Amino acid sequence: MAKLGGTTGIPSRPYVGREFRLLEGRMLDSLNEVERNGLDALQKVQDEAALEAWRVTHLGRSSGLMQIFSKFGQLPQADKPVVGQRANEVKKALEAAYDVKSGQMRQAALKRSLEQEQLDVTLPGRRLPLGRLHPDTQTLRELYTIFGEMGFQVFRSREVESDEYNFQLLNFQIGHPARDMQDTYFVEAEGRGENPIVLRTHTSPGQIHAMRWISAMQPDNPPPVRIVLPGMCYRYEQVTNRHETQFDQLEGLAVGPGITFSDLKGTLADFARRMFGQATRTRFRASYFPFTEPSAEFDVECFLCGGKGCSVCKGSGWLEIGGCGMVHPVVLTNGGYDPQRYSGFAFGLGPQRMAMLRHRIEDIRYFWQNDLRFLEQF
Ligand code: DAH
């Protein structure tokens, strides 16, 4: 090993060190150049795009500066501090110059826009689109209000039912022909014998749930019932403009000692006047439902033509609104009410049908198509 330092006290270096000292010198020169070029080029930058291009060229991964950093490892340990410090200085200087420049450019852009663009504070603001309630919900809430004023409470019941509740306890025995009117969707049939799980075809099973729940409070002397049961029903239907596979119903039920058919008539006639106007006339036509006896269809005088006959009432002057009747003794018994001591009436209304008549909506499919052009009209 050749001694270079002699007696000066400077630590001696191997001969090959000369090469590195040259490298160190070249790197310091390059750093000066990188700094000078970068700062000069930045002076000429005029817009955002040029500024971004400058950043990529002078500070990006393949910039001259980064290339120097990548050679850093080749330096001998003793030279690293000098070159490293200088390289960091250059990097900081370029970054600081970049920050100043971009700040200046942002300021200039703001100044320009404030000078050139005008703000008219008298222009109307942009309206936020407001959501609204679905027409079904609106009709149901109107019905709750009316029946609420008449002393009925809202009682909710499940949409997935057993055959027993949907049919059997309502006096539709297995194989009963009236079941044909209510073809349903089966949720689970296997292993359940004569009691498959179905989607409810009407809100009437809620009558049994409600009566059982209320009568269980005082089995010897069950309290009276006065409720409405709203909700979705499902039927396996041929879909047409009048029939959908899902639809709303509002069921009503009143049970107590001494309730008569005239209570039913009075309640529904009063409901029709509150819903369609004080002059509305009503009529009851004999009908059949397994869970009521006697049973009736309930019509209101056509509120669109006042009973003269129009296209909506098909010339008859009357509109069919729902079914009703006196609760069948079997149903009362199934609900925990002794038919010797209690009687009751029930009804089932079609809220969508009422909305259709009122707004002359010609197709029930609109309700669940989620077409804003329809929904926004209500
Ligand atoms: N559940 C019947 C249906 O969906 C409607 C109905 C008729 C309900 C008469 C009643 C009633 O409560 O008394 O076809």
Side-chain angles (χ1 to χ4, degrees):
M1 274 211 258
K3 296 234 175 194
L4 293 177
T7 55
T8 57
I10 298 171
S12 60
R13 287 170 170 275
Y15 172 71
V16 286
R18 276 180 58 84
E19 287 298 309
F20 290 105
R21 297 217 68 86
L22 286 175
L23 180 57
E24 177 200 359
R26 279 209 305 278
M27 279 172 82
L28 287 175
D29 289 345
S30 307
L31 280 169
N32 290 337
E33 199 179 310
V34 159
E35 183 178 32
R36 204 176 337 105
N37 287 346
L39 295 177
D40 285 353
L42 193 59
Q43 297 272 318
K44 297 183 193 108
V45 164
Q46 299 282 4
D47 55 40
E48 293 280 340
L51 184 65
E52 178 56 14
W54 181 93
R55 193 189 61 75
V56 172
T57 315
H58 296 275
L59 286 169
R61 220 175 297 156
S62 44
S63 61
L65 181 64
M66 290 306 155
Q67 280 167 21
I68 294 172
F69 269 113
S70 69
K71 287 198 199 116
F72 193 70
Q74 300 170 13
L75 283 170
Q77 209 54 38
D79 293 338
K80 281 185 179 168
V82 185
V83 177
Q85 191 188 352
R86 180 65 189 134
N88 279 324
E89 267 171 29
V90 171
K91 183 162 181 272
K92 284 215 180 88
L94 291 177
E95 280 170 354
Y98 171 83
D99 288 344
V100 169
K101 185 78 178 182
S102 82
Q104 283 169 349
M105 286 183 40
R106 259 200 313 271
Q107 280 299 318
L110 179 63
K111 188 156 172 271
R112 227 179 305 125
S113 87
L114 286 174
E115 280 166 7
Q116 289 171 3
E117 292 162 23
Q118 283 179 356
L119 179 67
D120 183 350
V121 292
T122 65
L123 279 175
R126 281 190 205 103
R127 255 176 219 284
L128 286 177
L130 274 188
R132 63 193 75 213
L133 295 174
H134 190 279
D136 270 4
T137 311
Q138 292 183 29
T139 315
L140 280 173
R141 289 195 180 180
E142 205 177 332
L143 295 172
Y144 301 157
T145 306
I146 293 174
F147 282 108
E149 284 167 0
M150 294 165 74
F152 287 78
Q153 278 183 296
V154 176
F155 192 102
R156 289 189 182 271
S157 177
R158 61 196 71 170
E159 288 178 25
V160 180
E161 275 295 358
S162 61
D163 184 283
E164 186 186 15
Y165 273 86
N166 196 78
F167 295 119
Q168 297 166 35
L169 293 169
L170 289 167
N171 209 22
F172 289 83
Q173 293 86 4
I174 290 151
H176 195 291
R179 286 180 176 226
D180 292 352
M181 297 189 294
Q182 302 190 11
D183 246 356
T184 186
Y185 292 102
F186 289 83
V187 176
E188 200 185 319
E190 226 173 271
R192 293 192 56 91
E194 313 229 282
N195 194 22
I197 304 288
V198 298
L199 294 186
R200 69 174 174 194
T201 57
H202 51 172
T203 43
S204 304
Q207 290 189 22
I208 304 286
H209 287 293
M211 280 192 284
R212 286 189 168 180
W213 191 71
I214 297 169
S215 63
M217 294 183 210
Q218 271 183 85
D220 300 335
N221 198 17
V225 180
R226 218 187 298 172
I227 55 167
V228 284
L229 297 133
M232 268 294 158
C233 304
Y234 305 84
R235 286 188 202 177
Y236 183 66
E237 291 269 9
Q238 171 83 49
V239 176
T240 67
N241 62 342
R242 302 232 145 239
H243 295 97
E244 251 287 28
T245 53
Q246 76 177 81
F247 53 94
D248 266 312
Q249 279 195 347
L250 185 81
E251 187 88 11
L253 176 68
V255 177
I259 290 182
T260 65
F261 197 90
S262 53
D263 294 317
L264 168 62
K265 283 185 81 174
T267 304
L268 285 181
D270 191 31
F271 154 73
R273 285 192 292 268
R274 289 172 191 245
M275 183 78 184
F276 303 111
Q278 282 304 312
T280 306
R281 295 197 304 153
T282 43
R283 89 178 172 184
F284 293 79
R285 281 179 292 118
S287 183
Y288 173 77
F289 300 102
F291 42 90
T292 45
E293 178 58 34
S295 306
E297 302 286 348
F298 168 54
D299 298 344
V300 297
E301 195 175 48
C302 180
F303 45 84
L304 294 164
C305 64
K308 285 192 210 66
C310 67
S311 62
V312 174
C313 61
K314 305 216 178 70
S316 73
W318 294 95
L319 299 169
E320 193 185 315
I321 292 296
C324 61
M326 298 306 289
V327 183
H328 196 286
V330 166
V331 175
L332 283 175
T333 308
N334 289 339
Y337 285 82
D338 177 359
Q340 300 297 326
R341 291 168 56 203
Y342 291 87
S343 55
F345 65 76
F347 55 86
L349 306 174
Q352 280 162 340
R353 186 159 161 70
M354 290 183 218
M356 286 174 76
L357 294 169
R358 188 186 261 179
H359 302 294
R360 295 181 184 240
I361 299 164
E362 277 166 4
D363 198 321
I364 196 169
R365 287 171 286 199
Y366 286 132
F367 284 94
W368 294 103
Q369 268 170 349
N370 276 346
D371 187 335
L372 288 182
R373 288 170 302 180
F374 171 74
L375 297 173
E376 282 177 346
Q377 293 179 48
F378 301 96

